Amino acid sequence: MKAVFTGAFVILLLLSAMAWSILPKPVEAGKTQIIWASDDNPARRGQIDGFNKIATDAHVSLDPNNTGLQKVVVQSLAGVGPDVFDSGDGTLNVLIDADLAWDVTDELKKRGVDIEKDSWKAIQTYCVREGRVYGIPSNAAANALFINKTIFDQQGIPYPNGPWKWSEFLPIAQKMTIRDDKGRATQFGLLIDWWLWPQFVIQWGGRIYSEDGTKCVIDSPEAIAGIQFLHDLIYKYKVMPSPVEEAAMATQGGWGSGTITQFGEGQKAAMAMGGRWWLCTLRNKKQFPDLKMTVCEAPYFNRRVFYGYGRATFINKASPRREDALKFLLYMAGPNYNALINKQADALAPIIKYCYKPEVLFDPEFPEEDKNQVWLDAMRYAEPTPTSPFVNYQAAQRILTRQLDLVKNDQKLVPDALRDAAREVNAEIQKTIARNPSLKAKYDAILAKRPVATL
Amino acid sequence: MSVTPTAMRPPVAADAPRTVAKRSSRSDWRRLWQAAPFVLPNLLGFLVFTAGPVLFSFAIAFTNWDLQRSVPFRWSGWENFSVLMADKDFWLYFANTVYFLLGMPVAIAGSLALALLLSQKLKGVVIYRTLFYLPSFTSGVALMILWKALYNPDFGPVNAVINSVSDFLHLGVKAPQWLLSTANLVGLDVEKVAFTGKQFGLGARDAIIIMGVWTAIGGSNMLLYLAALTNVPQELTEAAELDGATNWQVFRNVTWPQLAPTTFFIVVMSFIGGLQGGFEQARVMTNGGPAGTTTTLSYYIYNKAFEEFQIGYASAVSWVLFSIIFAVTVLNWKFGNKETTY
Amino acid sequence: MSKPVKTILAYVLLTALALTMLLPFLWMVLASFKSLAEVEKLNPFPTIWHPENYLSVFQQVPFARYYFNSVFVASWVTFLTCLTSAMAAFAFARLRWPGRDKVFQLYLATMMIPGVVTMIPNYTLMVKLQLLDSYAGLIIPAAFSAFGTFLMRQFMLTVPSALDEAAEMDGASPWQIFWDVILPMARPGLITLAIFTFMGNYGSFFWPLILIKSEHLRTLPIGMLFFDTVYGRQTNLIMAASVMNIIPLIVIFVVSQKFLVQGIQMGAVKG
């Protein structure tokens, strides 16, 4: 037995020597290493290379992070967070409150970057609060309709053109939905990722939170009507797959962004609502050899607005390499990065002026994408997801998602679900301010200012 | 039946330490000195990486510690626990966690049955054992991705089998929607801990339970039973067989008592594992959905701590979970003591 | 029931169960050779076999590196766990010392504590010890197992006391009894623990995810996770990666089968 353990130990020592010898050497001497926590994908790699090629004294490497803020928060708590990190929807309050994001308002201003003026409005809630800038948007997205040309051609229907209304959309979508004699759909008119539901709330004139954020108003008649329409697309007009039908279409094991593949592969859907970033996947001719597509503006109800979203990039306040990290942020505000984002179709570039360029409107490398103006228009009419500073985004999201899941599965009436959602989110707001005295002071101040009549 | 009571006694070995103690006349210190080099490497590591952190997190449970620094830190006493009692989500997810335990008895009985089958003197046992063990050595993430695909309601192989069997026998059975469904075997409601009768059927929770049984049945528990079965003295079973005992009698009176320490161990570990489980499944397969029905307490703790940053509250939840686990284990221990000697 | 009937029945049962265990894997292997579009079809065999799926995995991610890291880390953890657990278990099962049962109860109690409880304190500890983003940070905290100690103790309890009493009479020291008497007798347990530990660490997911920042230190599950998120929903490639993921485990299990059988032969406690 002793021999077995000794032998194992010797082998492990040898393995360790090997492990040590194949550790990569530091990339380039004399450069400050900056760690960027973001999701790892081919587009991101290109964006990093773009910086490393031109930066003389800093080198960015990626810390792949796809688990939301969790890793960044825990690492920062331990004092070793990344220097630069990305964050998504609704997290700004947390970033500021947890003291994670460096307030770069003055630094950027000194260098002539004005995020509030230069970048898309819809994405600014991700990184600007009360006039202070904490980061810069890394890309910006708003949805349009992808059109499968082959299906339209087969049925002899001209490709639609926006702006148009849902009422104009419905008859076309119904014609495009084909079912076999068993009632099983072989082709759908429309695919929508369910998480885009806020678009229907805002198009019908509703809001998730009241303007001052003190109250969840997802149970307003407008919001109910919007979500009802989304529900009806599945269960009344039947132009969209139910969760069951959707799972049936999904590539085995695919989930989340499976909608892209569902649209791209075969002839399963005539139209799909998605962002320009879908192109990162759909451009792959090897994966989608038969796909012929174009785009058109998404339909609207009574307000021509679209749900805007994206990512923003922040500097870790505790990073000892803040100054070098700032160079990376400036790169993201500059022409090279913005041109690259537009070229990669990683949604749209964050800085508006770099989007209105001839090579963005028509890229000869991708002649099929001949209607890029649609993306610019969608972005121009985009509105951000309203969040409330008085409730944790994730906590509220869990409540809303549960109720909307029930709606999606047709297990609960829309008004009931949204009323319960509003009630629960409002209870969560009360819980949150009870925990947090400074928030409560702010909340009370707003209520005091508000005229009694509107209550 | 002529199996003598002495032959049915638990393994002699369990009495060993006591025998040593009787003869021992060494001083406490000497014995401590002797044991120290054996215990210390493990004990030190254990104190630093397990016991210490546990104490630290216990302290946190009585604070309002929030990673958002605008919440001023304070000792909040039992506040977290009283909030928790009124937290609807906590009770819903607790019910989910308990529901997931339904697979446990099936899995343990199955493991024992497999081990008994494998311990027969048959050819090719090695191959069968390897096959049964296959599910539990695949990495969790890979396995869950695989099952997600298998459960696909329309094109998944699971429903394909159900549908073809149903068609063949003209049963007219509608195949379940598995991971997309909030239905469950006992009719647990979605929004409150109650049985409203609207939710009967097979749903996401059952899908995860079935996957769990499939994974566990030929896994560690079967190996433990196999190892324990080799330690059942053959003279005993052979003697009993010679005396004309039936298979069942041999099992019940000879084998089963000999397996008692192992069974005890497996039951204790299954409860511990089951009550704190469900995180990876929720994370990889369902995101805790649909409508929160696959969110277990451990996934809730993770959400509270790392998504909502309420470290204090999350610690409180985890300590409540621990208390439940502890209570169950103490009960097991009391019950187990009757049949085994520790 | 006559003997042959029983044997046949046993085989039928075993085969049916084995098939149940095997079919999902079969599906996985076949899916790994299909084109993406064909994965969702119900035909069991690919119409055109795509062995190049496996090559694509290596082209898209440094899969070999993940392999090495997983095996390396899991091996170290297994070695350390077996050693420290066996030693501690010996002290708990075969030696008598004041406070023994109290300490053991402490071990037992912490085993029930949900892992998420200790995560933040442990993470902070790793930072203080400067073990973040290193092999040591993956290995050391996992090397002292309460579970392993419990398991080994159970096994050592089943070794007849006559053995070490006799050795003690002959004047053997506790170390000699440990190495030469108890440990060989507890070999099935040791092998079981080794397999458990190796598997557990090879598939470990949450700790590496937060501890490791550099790509070259990623283990397989983390690599798989990123592979999955980065390269979209390429189920066929994911399945190919999964197949490669489990191959080392199968090899290790098949190799250790020999020892397990040995353990069965000699473990029947004749003495």
Side-chain angles (χ1 to χ4, degrees):
Chain A
M1 262 307 167
K2 227 178 193 165
V4 174
F5 274 90
T6 319
F9 186 63
V10 171
I11 291 171
L12 285 171
L13 283 184
L14 289 175
L15 268 179
S16 305
M18 188 179 152
W20 189 74
S21 70
I22 56 172
L23 283 184
K25 308 286 166 274
V27 249
E28 274 169 89
K31 283 193 173 183
T32 314
Q33 179 95 348
I34 295 174
I35 308 287
W36 179 24
S38 179
D39 56 334
D40 182 3
N41 63 40
R44 211 69 69 239
R45 306 237 156 210
Q47 290 152 23
I48 288 178
D49 290 345
F51 176 77
N52 288 341
K53 246 180 252 153
I54 51 171
T56 50
D57 50 359
H59 183 278
V60 166
S61 40
L62 189 72
D63 175 18
N65 178 36
N66 64 339
T67 52
L69 265 187
Q70 173 240 321
K71 183 172 168 180
V72 175
V73 168
V74 177
Q75 287 180 339
S76 300
L77 186 72
V80 286
D83 306 297
V84 184
F85 59 90
D86 283 2
S87 193
D89 202 2
T91 52
L92 181 61
N93 289 316
V94 172
L95 291 178
I96 298 172
D97 291 346
D99 229 8
L100 287 173
W102 186 27
D103 181 343
V104 287
T105 320
D106 304 327
E107 304 293 332
L108 288 183
K109 215 167 258 165
K110 256 188 270 169
R111 291 162 178 85
V113 176
D114 187 343
I115 291 300
E116 283 188 276
K117 215 176 80 228
D118 298 344
S119 72
W120 297 102
K121 276 274 175 292
I123 197 72
Q124 287 181 12
T125 50
Y126 281 52
C127 55
V128 181
R129 190 175 87 173
E130 288 157 13
R132 305 302 294 178
V133 178
Y134 294 89
I136 86 159
S138 14
N139 66 2
N143 295 314
L145 278 189
F146 283 92
I147 306 284
N148 186 322
K149 281 183 170 175
T150 318
I151 294 181
F152 273 81
D153 292 346
Q154 275 167 4
Q155 286 179 239
I157 296 172
Y159 314 138
N161 272 310
W164 56 328
K165 293 200 155 198
W166 284 107
S167 52
E168 299 165 68
F169 163 88
L170 270 179
I172 298 180
Q174 277 167 331
K175 256 181 249 164
M176 292 290 178
T177 307
I178 301 170
R179 286 171 195 271
D180 61 16
D181 43 359
K182 273 187 188 165
R184 224 170 78 167
T186 51
Q187 180 186 301
F188 282 100
L190 177 67
L191 295 176
I192 296 183
D193 275 320
W194 194 254
W195 60 269
L196 294 175
W197 60 265
Q199 175 143 323
F200 292 82
V201 174
I202 56 176
Q203 284 192 344
W204 265 252
R207 304 179 56 97
I208 301 176
Y209 297 98
S210 61
E211 206 151 351
D212 54 18
T214 57
K215 206 168 166 250
C216 175
V217 293
I218 189 92
D219 55 348
S220 70
E222 294 83 8
I224 290 174
I227 299 296
Q228 185 68 51
F229 182 79
L230 176 61
H231 168 271
D232 290 348
L233 283 174
I234 301 177
Y235 295 103
K236 188 173 164 191
Y237 309 115
K238 296 184 191 291
V239 297
M240 220 164 88
S242 71
V244 184
E245 292 167 320
E246 200 178 290
M249 301 166 62
T251 298
Q252 290 280 5
W255 73 96
S257 58
T259 319
I260 304 177
T261 347
Q262 283 165 30
F263 173 74
E265 276 177 357
Q267 312 290 340
K268 291 172 184 164
M271 294 171 272
M273 198 186 279
R276 186 164 181 257
W277 50 277
W278 279 29
L279 292 172
C280 293
T281 308
L282 293 178
R283 277 176 181 174
N284 185 345
K285 281 281 163 239
K286 233 173 97 192
Q287 196 182 349
F288 310 105
D290 309 319
L291 179 66
K292 290 189 177 46
M293 61 181 172
T294 182
V295 288
C296 129
E297 191 175 299
Y300 66 97
F301 184 66
N302 56 12
R303 296 181 64 223
R304 189 184 173 196
V305 289
F306 308 100
Y307 170 29
Y309 55 91
R311 289 179 302 122
T313 305
F314 302 85
I315 295 178
N316 186 347
K317 195 172 176 183
S319 162
R321 294 167 289 274
R322 294 204 306 204
E323 299 300 327
D324 290 294
L326 196 62
K327 288 174 197 152
F328 186 63
L329 237 55
L330 289 170
Y331 158 73
M332 294 184 105
N336 292 340
Y337 174 84
N338 281 274
L340 185 63
I341 294 284
N342 285 330
K343 177 93 192 164
Q344 290 176 327
D346 185 11
L348 277 175
I351 307 296
I352 301 169
K353 65 177 173 200
Y354 298 118
C355 292
Y356 288 90
K357 297 264 175 168
E359 67 269 23
V360 177
L361 288 170
F362 184 78
D363 185 341
E365 206 181 313
F366 304 100
E368 215 189 354
E369 298 162 20
D370 52 353
K371 289 170 75 183
N372 283 333
Q373 182 67 38
V374 166
W375 300 114
L376 298 174
D377 287 348
M379 205 59 231
R380 200 148 51 95
Y381 289 102
E383 279 183 10
T385 22
T387 56
S388 161
F390 301 110
V391 64
N392 178 287
Y393 177 77
Q394 297 293 347
Q397 206 61 21
R398 224 187 29 243
I399 295 168
L400 294 170
T401 306
R402 182 195 292 154
Q403 295 298 338
L404 277 142
D405 268 0
L406 289 170
V407 169
K408 183 183 182 186
N409 287 289
D410 203 24
Q411 293 198 341
K412 202 167 175 182
L413 295 175
V414 176
D416 292 347
L418 294 189
R419 253 193 297 278
D420 286 349
R423 189 171 40 79
E424 284 180 37
V425 171
N426 283 326
E428 192 65 34
I429 288 178
Q430 292 308 319
K431 247 199 242 172
T432 310
I433 58 174
R435 286 170 50 79
N436 190 332
S438 64
L439 263 191
K440 175 143 180 48
K442 225 184 209 170
Y443 181 88
D444 290 342
I446 291 174
L447 283 199
K449 251 185 269 165
R450 201 197 301 180
V452 188
T454 60
L455 284 171
Chain B
M1 202 176 84
S2 64
V3 180
T4 57
T6 12
M8 292 193 289
R9 282 189 51 214
V12 243
D15 294 323
R18 213 171 299 148
T19 336
V20 176
K22 238 183 286 160
R23 294 185 303 102
S24 169
S25 58
R26 286 170 292 190
S27 75
D28 280 0
W29 280 110
R30 224 200 109 140
R31 281 184 282 158
L32 203 58
W33 180 249
Q34 211 171 44
F38 288 99
V39 188
L40 276 185
N42 192 290
L43 184 62
L44 282 181
F46 168 78
L47 288 176
V48 173
F49 296 112
T50 308
V54 167
L55 286 182
F56 186 63
S57 91
F58 183 69
I60 297 171
F62 293 92
T63 70
N64 71 339
W65 189 22
D66 193 312
L67 295 186
Q68 305 186 58
R69 294 180 196 174
S70 62
V71 180
F73 179 89
R74 67 184 165 86
W75 291 90
S76 56
W78 292 95
E79 192 182 292
N80 285 333
F81 295 92
S82 61
V83 170
L84 185 148
M85 288 298 134
D87 181 351
K88 192 185 90 178
D89 287 347
F90 171 81
W91 293 108
L92 276 175
Y93 302 148
F94 177 57
N96 289 342
T97 310
V98 172
Y99 186 87
F100 278 123
L101 292 179
L102 285 179
M104 200 180 94
V106 185
I108 295 177
S111 299
L112 177 56
L114 280 186
L116 284 170
L117 273 174
L118 284 180
S119 66
Q120 308 296 312
K121 290 196 174 56
L122 301 171
K123 279 182 191 148
V125 159
V126 176
I127 295 168
Y128 283 115
R129 192 174 48 202
T130 312
L131 291 181
F132 292 154
Y133 203 60
L134 201 60
S136 60
F137 58 59
T138 317
S139 100
V141 177
L143 204 81
M144 287 162 196
I145 294 172
L146 169 64
W147 273 88
K148 221 182 129 126
L150 297 179
Y151 276 130
N152 186 307
D154 220 11
F155 289 122
V158 173
N159 275 5
V161 170
I162 293 178
N163 285 333
S164 56
V165 169
S166 164
D167 286 352
F168 185 71
L169 300 174
H170 302 289
L171 296 175
V173 173
K174 225 176 118 198
Q177 294 169 27
W178 299 117
L179 293 173
L180 300 169
S181 162
T182 54
N184 57 94
L185 280 175
V186 299
L188 209 55
D189 195 62
V190 179
E191 290 182 85
K192 50 184 180 291
V193 187
F195 305 96
T196 48
K198 277 193 292 188
Q199 297 288 341
F200 284 112
L202 285 169
R205 279 173 285 210
D206 310 290
I208 289 177
I209 288 178
I210 292 170
M211 179 186 81
V213 170
W214 177 84
T215 313
I217 202 165
S220 321
N221 293 348
M222 186 194 74
L223 273 195
L224 283 174
Y225 269 130
L226 263 180
L229 279 171
T230 61
N231 280 339
V232 174
Q234 273 194 324
E235 300 89 70
L236 293 184
T237 49
E238 277 164 13
E241 271 164 19
L242 278 179
D243 289 338
T246 62
N247 284 333
W248 170 250
Q249 280 169 331
V250 174
F251 172 73
R252 182 66 193 87
N253 296 315
V254 182
T255 316
W256 176 246
Q258 295 277 347
L259 293 178
T262 312
T263 305
F264 172 68
F265 175 78
I266 288 175
V267 170
V268 169
M269 294 314 289
S270 301
F271 264 111
I272 295 173
L275 285 169
Q276 57 177 290
F279 172 76
E280 280 196 345
Q281 291 88 327
R283 187 68 204 286
V284 176
M285 295 176 78
T286 59
N287 268 325
T293 48
T294 56
T295 303
T296 60
L297 283 183
S298 68
Y299 191 59
Y300 185 52
I301 292 168
Y302 165 84
N303 272 328
K304 276 284 167 193
F306 300 114
E307 305 276 357
E308 297 171 37
F309 308 112
Q310 298 182 20
I311 303 290
Y313 188 74
S315 293
V317 177
S318 62
W319 276 88
V320 170
L321 176 59
F322 166 62
S323 311
I324 297 164
I325 294 172
F326 187 73
V328 170
T329 308
V330 166
L331 283 178
N332 272 327
W333 197 262
K334 282 241 160 75
F335 174 75
N337 257 345
K338 282 182 191 151
E339 282 199 52
T340 59
T341 322
Y342 284 95
Chain C
M1 241 188 303
S2 66
K3 190 86 188 169
V5 174
K6 254 169 73 180
T7 311
I8 291 171
L9 205 69
Y11 271 120
V12 170
L13 257 173
L14 282 172
T15 310
L17 286 164
L19 272 181
T20 318
M21 297 293 158
L22 204 58
L23 281 177
F25 288 98
L26 210 60
W27 187 87
M28 174 169 82
V29 172
L30 291 173
S32 74
F33 285 104
K34 287 180 173 179
S35 69
L36 188 56
E38 209 182 359
V39 173
E40 70 181 44
K41 306 273 161 51
L42 273 179
N43 56 321
F45 293 98
T47 41
I48 303 165
W49 291 72
H50 293 276
E52 74 275 10
N53 284 350
Y54 285 81
L55 209 65
S56 326
V57 175
F58 282 94
Q59 283 163 351
Q60 295 188 4
V61 283
F63 207 75
R65 183 93 219 195
Y66 301 161
Y67 250 137
F68 177 83
N69 289 339
S70 270
V71 172
F72 178 67
V73 169
S75 302
W76 261 115
V77 172
T78 306
F79 171 78
L80 290 173
T81 302
C82 284
L83 187 64
T84 62
S85 296
M87 280 163 60
F90 176 73
F92 284 122
R94 311 306 287 198
L95 300 174
R96 267 201 76 89
W97 40 283
R100 182 188 74 172
D101 296 340
K102 291 247 155 50
V103 176
F104 188 68
Q105 275 162 19
L106 182 71
Y107 269 71
L108 211 60
T110 52
M111 265 198 305
M112 296 170 243
I113 292 182
V116 74
V117 168
T118 53
M119 219 208 66
I120 290 196
N122 260 334
Y123 189 87
T124 324
L125 193 66
M126 287 297 105
V127 176
K128 291 270 182 294
L129 297 175
Q130 309 251 319
L131 292 182
L132 202 81
D133 205 21
S134 70
Y135 285 124
L138 290 179
I139 294 168
I140 292 172
F144 312 97
S145 163
F147 168 76
T149 310
F150 184 32
L151 184 70
M152 286 309 292
R153 176 181 172 272
Q154 298 302 100
F155 269 98
M156 288 182 181
L157 280 179
T158 61
V159 178
S161 59
L163 286 180
D164 44 336
E165 274 168 41
E168 211 180 335
M169 296 280 222
D170 294 342
S173 73
W175 284 103
Q176 280 166 329
I177 295 177
F178 172 69
W179 285 115
D180 300 332
V181 182
I182 302 297
L183 215 49
M185 293 302 281
R187 186 139 88 163
L190 203 59
I191 290 170
T192 312
L193 174 63
I195 297 172
F196 284 174
T197 314
F198 190 88
M199 274 165 26
N201 278 279
Y202 188 82
S204 158
F205 172 63
F206 200 71
W207 186 246
L209 185 68
I210 59 158
L211 197 82
I212 293 305
K213 299 173 78 177
S214 317
E215 183 166 28
H216 66 269
L217 289 175
R218 275 191 208 156
T219 55
L220 265 179
I222 310 307
M224 291 264 299
L225 184 78
F226 286 116
F227 180 45
D228 182 46
T229 43
V230 174
Y231 293 93
R233 314 301 159 184
Q234 306 179 67
T235 309
N236 50 351
L237 299 195
I238 294 284
M239 290 300 147
S242 302
V243 170
M244 291 191 281
N245 192 338
I246 66 168
I247 284 174
L249 291 168
I250 296 177
V251 170
I252 281 163
F253 189 69
V254 167
V255 169
S256 60
Q257 284 267 345
K258 214 174 68 187
F259 296 105
L260 280 172
V261 173
Q262 245 178 36
I264 290 164
Q265 283 164 349
M266 58 142 267
V269 193
K270 293 268 157 57

